Amino acid sequence: MLDSALIDALRQARHVVVFTGAGVSAESGIPTFRDRLTGLWERFDAASLATAEAFRADPALVWGWYEWRRSVVHRAQPNAAHRAIAELAGKVPKFTLITQNVDDLHERAGSQNITHLHGQLERPRCFQCQHEPDSPLPVPDEPEAGRRVQPPACAHCGGPLRPGVVWFGESLPMEAITHAFQAAEQCDLLISVGTSGVVYPAAEIPEIAWRLRANVLHINPTPGPLHGERDFALANAAGVALPALIDAAFP
Ligand code: OAD
């Protein structure tokens, strides 16, 4: 049974922010960051591969890991949660989608104007001169977890291409984080979906909304502790909870 205060909060909201993490893509078969890495990747720790130091030390190992992730994403399809988020945008007066995900499943579900806080797998750039290649990279046919792949050379300076994602220790894109903080300050409902909320500064976004008196809803099979007032949780998979919430609010 959905809380009637939550349904009212969604019905009455003038500006809804949806803030997503890896859990929103879990039902599409994309492992979340803090899942145990599968197959050959069991030996590696995601956090230690997602750094400039790791790339410098072993570019083929890191590039190979991102090529594997890219091929997994390429073969995946958006799920009911991605579709519900795209649908919700058309049901409320103002809507902002902010994601920590580097996949393109929100785009492929039909969402528009997506703010990618942690970059995008499909936007590689040169590790040395930042030049972005003109044409998209070919997608590997089959995922080969653990395969080392030499990064392609930059057409501009010959340096190695790197994934277009934010690595640990790097700053978030200024425009994206500014937009996300502004939306969190201005919204009256923030729905946080499938994020463990441990990676800052992104994890501050629901906190900011709550402190500035917005309602906040966490959708996560294992939600964290709640503040109490104006703070809601649906302890369920995103692909179940989001469509149910939208159906209840906009029958
Ligand atoms: P995490 O892997 O930390 O957390 C995923 C969350 O999704 C967990 O809290 C799960 O309980 C939840 N979850 C799992 N299945 C779900 C489902 N079906 N529906 C809803 N929730 C589900 O992923 P993020 O919070 O996105 O950063 O991680 C944040 C950042 O840490 C990532 O963007 C990445 C990583 O390091 C960078 O790459 C910079």
Side-chain angles (χ1 to χ4, degrees), residues 55 123-133 152-162:
F55 186 79
R123 297 282 305 271
R125 65 177 187 275
C126 177
F127 188 60
Q128 282 172 191
C129 76
Q130 314 302 324
H131 182 78
E132 293 191 18
C154 169
H156 199 64
C157 78
L161 292 191
R162 59 159 285 172

Side-chain angles (χ1 to χ4, degrees), residues 46-169:
S48 68
L49 286 168
T51 65
E53 291 70 36
F55 186 79
R56 244 181 237 112
D58 194 342
L61 174 69
V62 174
W63 184 262
W65 187 55
Y66 281 94
E67 283 294 274
W68 169 70
R69 288 181 61 191
R70 228 161 51 81
S71 61
V72 170
V73 168
H74 191 76
R75 295 173 346 140
Q77 297 299 325
N79 65 52
H82 297 107
R83 290 193 295 274
I85 291 166
E87 185 192 337
L88 181 58
K91 294 192 180 290
V92 296
K94 185 167 180 192
F95 184 82
T96 303
L97 176 55
I98 300 161
T99 187
Q100 297 166 87
N101 296 346
V102 295
D103 65 47
D104 60 356
L105 295 182
H106 283 305
E107 281 86 348
R108 282 156 55 194
S111 284
Q112 289 171 348
N113 303 320
I114 304 155
T115 298
H116 280 274
L117 286 180
H118 292 164
Q120 291 174 262
L121 286 174
E122 293 298 337
R123 297 282 305 271
R125 65 177 187 275
C126 177
F127 188 60
Q128 282 172 191
C129 76
Q130 314 302 324
H131 182 78
E132 293 191 18
D134 298 332
S135 44
L137 295 171
V139 177
D141 293 339
E142 289 292 331
E144 281 188 63
R147 190 167 59 106
R148 305 166 90 82
V149 182
Q150 284 303 330
C154 169
H156 199 64
C157 78
L161 292 191
R162 59 159 285 172
V165 305
V166 177
W167 281 331
F168 288 101

Side-chain angles (χ1 to χ4, degrees), residues 210-211 213-216 226-232:
W210 185 81
R211 281 202 304 272
R213 310 210 60 78
N215 293 296
V216 175
L226 295 179
H227 290 290
E229 196 195 353
R230 291 180 286 105
D231 211 6
F232 302 87

Side-chain angles (χ1 to χ4, degrees), residues 154-239:
C154 169
H156 199 64
C157 78
L161 292 191
R162 59 159 285 172
V165 305
V166 177
W167 281 331
F168 288 101
E170 294 184 326
S171 304
L172 272 55
M174 184 56 83
E175 204 181 316
I177 191 73
T178 305
H179 178 67
F181 282 158
Q182 275 172 358
E185 284 162 14
Q186 292 163 3
C187 70
D188 39 22
L189 172 63
L190 184 138
I191 305 177
S192 167
V193 190
T195 175
S196 54
V198 295
V199 176
Y200 282 83
E204 272 175 70
I205 288 167
E207 280 298 313
I208 291 171
W210 185 81
R211 281 202 304 272
L212 292 175
R213 310 210 60 78
N215 293 296
V216 175
L217 166 63
H218 303 269
I219 298 179
N220 195 313
T222 48
L226 295 179
H227 290 290
E229 196 195 353
R230 291 180 286 105
D231 211 6
F232 302 87
L234 295 175
N236 211 337

